[in-house]
Amino acid sequence: MNNLNEKVSYLKGLMEGMDIDTNANEGKLFAKIVETLEDLAREVDYINEDLDDMEEYLDAMDDDLTDLEDDFYDLEDEEDEDEFYEIECPSCDDIFYLDESDLIFDGEGLIKVACPNCGEMVVINEEMDYFAENEEDETEDTEV
């Protein structure tokens, strides 16, 4: 806030240059106003210095917290573990996505998923190969 200090100094110089009598009532008032403005400008400088120090400290804390989160939660590794699979429905050619955590394989290593667009059952094996069940009797036996 160097600009604030310059403005107060200008006012003080202007008052002194005008030869205002500081013993007169108006002169006393102007002198006190300039003195108060000098004090305020000095306090604003102190506050700005403290604010700069706090910003540096906060940035350091943020960096430390980020490092701690990375170490503790191991966020980078978790993001790499989740895989999404793109599935195309053989009936309607709609493409939808499955998260690996959503897949629950039965004892035969298969999972049946209904297409969100047409409702046709899509069968997926553990190798993530998929195909639509075209035989109606198998579809009726495995409806969810």
Side-chain angles (χ1 to χ4, degrees), residues 60-110:
M61 281 181 57
D62 185 43
D63 292 342
D64 291 344
L65 182 59
T66 300
D67 292 342
L68 181 63
E69 286 174 340
D70 289 344
D71 292 342
F72 185 75
Y73 293 110
D74 207 15
L75 294 176
E76 292 173 3
D77 292 340
E78 286 181 16
E79 290 174 2
D80 295 338
E81 290 176 14
D82 291 338
E83 291 188 40
F84 289 91
Y85 296 98
E86 183 178 289
I87 308 296
E88 182 176 354
C89 178
S91 296
C92 69
D93 295 326
D94 187 43
I95 295 176
F96 59 98
Y97 299 90
L98 292 176
D99 185 342
E100 185 177 35
S101 64
D102 294 335
L103 302 179
I104 301 172
F105 293 98
D106 62 8
E108 299 173 3
L110 299 175

Side-chain angles (χ1 to χ4, degrees), residues 28-140:
K28 289 179 185 178
L29 177 65
F30 287 137
K32 281 295 182 185
I33 290 173
V34 169
E35 183 182 321
T36 302
L37 289 174
E38 287 176 327
D39 291 342
L40 287 172
R42 192 172 18 262
E43 286 299 317
V44 168
D45 284 341
Y46 294 145
I47 290 171
N48 283 332
E49 288 174 13
D50 289 344
L51 181 62
D52 290 340
D53 292 342
M54 290 179 108
E55 283 182 34
E56 287 178 25
Y57 181 70
L58 186 60
D59 287 341
M61 281 181 57
D62 185 43
D63 292 342
D64 291 344
L65 182 59
T66 300
D67 292 342
L68 181 63
E69 286 174 340
D70 289 344
D71 292 342
F72 185 75
Y73 293 110
D74 207 15
L75 294 176
E76 292 173 3
D77 292 340
E78 286 181 16
E79 290 174 2
D80 295 338
E81 290 176 14
D82 291 338
E83 291 188 40
F84 289 91
Y85 296 98
E86 183 178 289
I87 308 296
E88 182 176 354
C89 178
S91 296
C92 69
D93 295 326
D94 187 43
I95 295 176
F96 59 98
Y97 299 90
L98 292 176
D99 185 342
E100 185 177 35
S101 64
D102 294 335
L103 302 179
I104 301 172
F105 293 98
D106 62 8
E108 299 173 3
L110 299 175
I111 184 170
K112 294 174 177 67
V113 180
C115 172
N117 186 42
C118 69
E120 181 72 27
M121 295 303 290
V122 178
V123 177
I124 306 167
N125 67 18
E126 287 183 36
E127 287 80 32
M128 295 307 295
D129 294 330
Y130 55 93
F131 55 92
E133 289 186 24
N134 293 326
E135 300 176 22
E136 289 185 25
D137 58 338
E138 285 183 20
T139 306
E140 290 173 9

Side-chain angles (χ1 to χ4, degrees), residues 12-35:
K12 184 176 182 179
L14 188 61
M15 187 183 81
E16 290 171 357
M18 294 176 74
D19 291 329
I20 295 178
D21 183 13
T22 54
N23 292 327
N25 288 336
E26 294 85 8
K28 289 179 185 178
L29 177 65
F30 287 137
K32 281 295 182 185
I33 290 173
V34 169
E35 183 182 321

